[in-house]
Amino acid sequence: MLSVLTGGLEAARLAQPPIAARVPELAPESIHAPHSALALEGVSLSFGGIHALRDVSFDLRPGEIRAVIGPNGAGKSSLVNVISGLYQADAGYIHLGGRRLRHLRPEALPKLGVARTFQNLALFPGLTVEQNVAAGLVFRRRHGLLAQLAGLPGARAEAAEVADRVRDVAGFLGITAHLHRLVSTLPYGLQKQVELARALVASPKVLLLDEPMAGMTATEKAEMAAHVRSARDRLGLATILIEHDIGVVMGLSDRIAVLDHGVKIADGTPPEVRRDPDVIRAYLGAEAA
Amino acid sequence: MSVFSASVTGARLATGFSLPVLVVLSLGFVAVPLTASPYVLEAILLPFLALSLAGLGLNLLTGYCGQVSLGSAAFMAVGAFAAYNFDLRTGLPIPVSIVLAALTAAVIGLVFGLPSLRLRGFYLAVSTLAAQFFVQWALTKFSWFSNGSPSGIIAAPVIELAGLRLDSAVGRYLFSLTIVTAITLLVHRIVSGPEGVNLIAVRDNETAAKVIGVPVLRTKLVAFALSSGIIGIAGVLWAFTYLRTVEPAGFNLDRSFQILFIVIIGGLATIRGTFLGAGLIVVFPLLLGRLSAFAFDGLIDAGLIKLIERIVLGGTIILFLIAEPNGLSAILSRLSARLRALVRRG
Ligand SMILES: Nc1ncnc2c1ncn2[C@@H]1O[C@H](COP(=O)(O)OP(=O)(O)OP(=O)(O)O)[C@@H](O)[C@H]1O
Ligand SMILES: [Mg+2]
């Protein structure tokens, strides 16, 4: 794993310089300050005897790509699931949209400006690419079933808006050619892009990506990384990126949080994290285990 | 058509109907009434139409929205008895009674759909059995529903439209066909529009659907209400146009399973598959009956023949599920693709 870390060094040098400089500097105590896009405050979560998260505090600034790394079972997905309301924390708070919440309701996420993708594909195989992406806009729909069936002008205008928006996002991610295909007939890498499109179409302020590049070829990974970066650059998204490929993480992230056994053991810029003895130990430990 | 409409194969004519649909419709509305014998109408087409509609209703719920139900016959019964009572007690025109019956079935379907907000799969299927048993019990227990008839069997009213009595086989057939056509078009519009996206999203990945803001609970309840309303109308057609009597006994668990088989054999989440499935379920036993009468007549007793027929039917269904889990609709797709390839090659 150490070799992976140093391999990451090269990747980091090749990639464009970290964007942290563009983001306003924050003092550590302002973790829960109103200008963070999202923050966790002392979140703990356990399943029976397993502590998936232990007193984790974490903040995400607007326009920042924030990686979360750690060995298998470290609690990365749990963190994202707590933020998206799928798991309920035993303790701690979530700061979002100027509010301090114990739990989030997953249904409320899109209205709060949060969109996510899943570690294992969570598309709708029975729908076309276009329909899958359009599903990301359902939460905004103003016209009900009856208006749709009656073909009311408002409902039709809405359908046209949705189509335009889907087309925009598909163009942005380069999947326009596949819009009318059944999503289940696409190769894995493309399906991952569709899932990103479904998240982006909602114009979120916070994007949670759980291993968006897992299982991809090197080319696909580079493409996905470019999309994540340009989504941030163009839309000013705050992104949480869970990823095992350290090279990608070092090149893409402004800051990195490292989890191990549910504990946040390090947090900082890529160079800081790379030097951190705890991180090196955790990765060596994971390799030795 | 909205942007959500699924990709369309085959040519679309100016009417918005595809060619095969137009052919089927003109056969159904023109050729059949002119040529079909009363036997074909009474024994095949009338039950076929009612069961197709019931299958369509169940497919909306199970095929599109992924919610399994074993209570279809209950909603048929609700529709039939509600239409009977609205007709008897209000004297409203029959179409109005049918609409009210559909609403009644929809509301009751909604109530029995509430467990779906908590239960899934096998557990939900078992909970829909409650509808099956409760409705049959209520209809037998309270004679008010059958207007105090001692046997519980009552004659269905003759369908009258604008002074026209539709009591001939052809008249009932055309009435039934018109309703089934209209509802089929409605269902097509629903499933190919934004609501179809909601239904399939809930079916394919409920968690993802919830997180992106698809109204999961509302979608399930809409599916239960629509499905039950449609199945309710199927019950009206079954009682008023096919049997011409209204009785609880025909709407039993066997019927619910029959409708489920129609959907499975035809193919989940396909409209045309539902009609193919209903056709098979109606015609196959008749053919089998003819065949066994021809082969065994006088050799073995009628009860045994019935048993053999059931075993063959059951075996066929199982074979079918193994050989083609996507149903008759998938077979038809393959056949027509092959046909098109042949035509192209000339
Ligand atoms: N729904 C659940 N029920 C029980 N235990 C769970 C559940 N979800 C996660 N866990 C446990 O919590 C711990 C953290 O899991 P989590 O999925 O968050 O890890 P991860 O960092 O995402 O791992 P990976 O890199 O393998 O995806 C693990 O021990 C896991 O077994
Ligand atoms: Mg994970």
Side-chain angles (χ1 to χ4, degrees):
Chain A
M1 260 306 173
L2 203 59
S3 58
V4 176
L5 276 176
T6 43
L9 264 173
E10 252 111 52
R13 254 187 250 115
L14 291 175
Q16 69 183 50
I19 334 267
R22 283 198 227 150
V23 179
E25 275 302 315
L26 282 181
E29 56 273 15
S30 62
I31 272 184
H32 314 305
H35 47 279
S36 57
L38 170 85
L40 299 186
E41 176 192 347
V43 166
S44 297
L45 170 74
S46 54
F47 298 98
I50 299 170
H51 295 277
L53 295 171
R54 298 187 218 217
D55 195 21
V56 173
S57 294
F58 178 92
D59 77 313
L60 177 68
R61 298 167 194 160
E64 176 182 43
I65 296 178
R66 185 90 153 91
V68 177
I69 64 172
N72 291 111
K76 307 179 296 294
S77 296
S78 298
L79 182 103
V80 162
N81 286 342
V82 165
I83 297 171
S84 45
L86 294 177
Y87 292 169
Q88 302 209 328
D90 306 326
Y93 295 92
I94 303 160
H95 296 254
L96 185 62
R99 284 191 290 169
R100 184 175 186 247
L101 306 160
R102 276 222 144 268
H103 306 298
L104 280 166
R105 286 175 41 249
E107 299 87 337
L109 275 192
K111 293 230 161 88
L112 290 168
V114 181
R116 68 165 292 175
T117 65
F118 290 80
Q119 179 166 354
N120 302 307
L121 281 175
L123 289 167
F124 310 121
L127 294 175
T128 63
V129 172
E130 181 178 42
Q131 290 172 316
N132 266 280
V133 179
L137 286 171
V138 165
F139 77 102
R140 267 200 218 149
R141 190 165 293 142
R142 300 177 305 273
H143 296 273
L145 178 59
L146 290 179
Q148 291 157 20
L149 290 178
L152 295 187
R156 272 195 264 157
E158 185 166 42
E161 275 166 40
V162 169
D164 286 348
R165 181 90 191 102
V166 169
R167 209 150 274 286
D168 280 353
V169 173
F172 175 58
L173 296 180
I175 54 173
T176 310
H178 311 290
L179 275 179
H180 295 289
R181 281 178 65 184
L182 218 50
V183 77
S184 53
T185 64
L186 297 181
Y188 181 78
L190 270 175
Q191 294 197 22
K192 283 272 192 191
Q193 305 267 21
V194 175
E195 208 182 343
L196 179 62
R198 187 180 70 188
L200 288 179
V201 79
S203 323
K205 292 195 281 290
V206 173
L207 180 63
L208 314 173
L209 302 175
D210 194 349
E211 305 201 14
M213 298 149 201
M216 283 187 162
T217 64
T219 340
E220 287 172 334
K221 277 187 188 176
E223 204 181 328
M224 183 59 100
H227 287 328
V228 171
R229 185 181 288 125
S230 65
R232 185 273 308 276
D233 292 349
R234 285 215 223 163
L235 313 170
L237 279 174
T239 308
I240 292 182
L241 171 70
I242 298 177
E243 181 48 51
H244 279 291
D245 187 323
I246 301 293
V248 169
V249 167
M250 293 289 166
L252 199 55
S253 335
D254 302 310
R255 285 191 297 161
I256 302 174
V258 187
L259 289 179
D260 186 29
H261 293 101
V263 180
K264 190 172 88 172
I265 57 166
D267 196 348
T269 61
E272 284 166 5
V273 165
R274 207 183 301 121
R275 283 194 301 269
D276 191 297
D278 283 340
V279 175
I280 295 169
R281 206 173 308 121
Y283 272 89
L284 274 178
E287 194 166 74
Chain B
M1 275 278 116
S2 77
V3 295
F4 294 94
S5 56
S7 61
V8 178
T9 50
R12 259 175 195 284
L13 307 184
T15 55
F17 291 118
S18 66
L19 189 60
V21 170
L22 278 184
V23 169
V24 169
L25 282 181
S26 47
L27 281 178
F29 276 101
V30 182
V32 167
L34 289 177
T35 58
S37 69
Y39 171 80
V40 169
L41 290 173
E42 298 270 8
I44 298 179
L45 291 175
L46 284 170
F48 164 74
L49 285 173
L51 289 178
S52 297
L53 190 61
L56 198 62
L58 182 63
N59 215 338
L60 195 61
L61 180 68
T62 302
Y64 287 93
C65 193
Q67 311 298 305
V68 186
S69 164
L70 292 176
S72 307
F75 302 119
M76 287 180 84
V78 170
F81 276 86
Y84 169 78
N85 280 290
F86 280 121
D87 183 66
L88 179 76
R89 295 166 205 280
T90 66
L92 288 165
I94 288 251
V96 178
S97 292
I98 295 182
V99 170
L100 292 175
L103 289 176
T104 310
V107 169
I108 294 189
L110 195 75
V111 170
F112 281 100
L114 289 174
S116 73
L117 306 185
R118 275 305 180 78
L119 303 179
R120 224 155 286 187
F122 179 69
Y123 295 95
L124 177 62
V126 170
S127 91
T128 58
L129 276 179
Q132 182 62 49
F133 294 124
F134 174 78
V135 167
Q136 261 195 306
W137 170 80
L139 290 177
T140 350
K141 168 88 182 169
F142 303 106
S143 61
W144 182 87
F145 289 117
S146 28
N147 199 24
S149 148
S151 64
I153 304 174
I154 41 191
V158 172
I159 296 160
E160 267 184 65
L161 277 185
L164 206 66
R165 280 172 67 85
L166 303 175
D167 57 355
S168 70
V170 172
R172 281 177 282 129
Y173 164 77
L174 283 174
F175 179 76
S176 187
L177 181 64
T178 308
I179 290 182
V180 172
T181 306
I183 294 177
T184 305
L185 293 178
L186 183 75
V187 170
H188 173 74
R189 221 175 133 84
I190 292 172
V191 299
S192 54
E195 192 65 30
V197 171
N198 290 4
L199 291 170
I200 294 178
V202 168
R203 175 195 74 187
D204 282 355
N205 197 323
E206 199 175 315
T207 304
K210 194 193 289 179
V211 167
I212 64 175
V214 173
V216 173
L217 304 186
R218 185 195 139 280
T219 301
K220 284 185 184 178
L221 292 181
V222 164
F224 265 99
L226 279 174
S227 157
S228 311
I230 292 170
I231 296 175
I233 297 180
V236 180
L237 295 184
W238 183 262
F240 285 29
T241 69
Y242 169 53
L243 292 182
R244 294 207 271 172
T245 59
V246 188
E247 53 183 309
F251 299 120
N252 54 13
L253 189 58
D254 275 7
R255 180 82 54 224
S256 287
F257 271 110
Q258 190 182 34
I259 296 164
L260 187 62
F261 288 151
I262 287 175
V263 171
I264 293 175
I265 290 178
L268 291 170
T270 89
I271 290 178
R272 66 173 187 193
T274 306
F275 287 91
L276 296 172
L280 190 86
I281 285 283
V282 170
V283 171
F284 195 66
L286 292 176
L287 286 180
L288 220 55
R290 290 257 161 130
L291 203 71
S292 61
F294 179 72
F296 304 126
D297 198 22
L299 295 177
I300 45 180
D301 73 77
L304 195 56
I305 294 183
K306 269 263 160 292
L307 193 66
I308 295 176
E309 282 174 25
R310 294 202 103 178
I311 292 172
V312 173
L313 184 65
T316 313
I317 291 174
I318 292 171
L319 270 184
F320 210 96
L321 293 184
I322 295 169
E324 183 45 272
N326 293 326
L328 286 170
S329 175
I331 295 181
L332 188 68
S333 294
R334 272 204 302 278
L335 282 181
S336 66
R338 213 169 293 167
L339 203 68
R340 240 176 279 140
L342 271 181
V343 169
R344 224 172 292 137
R345 241 178 282 146

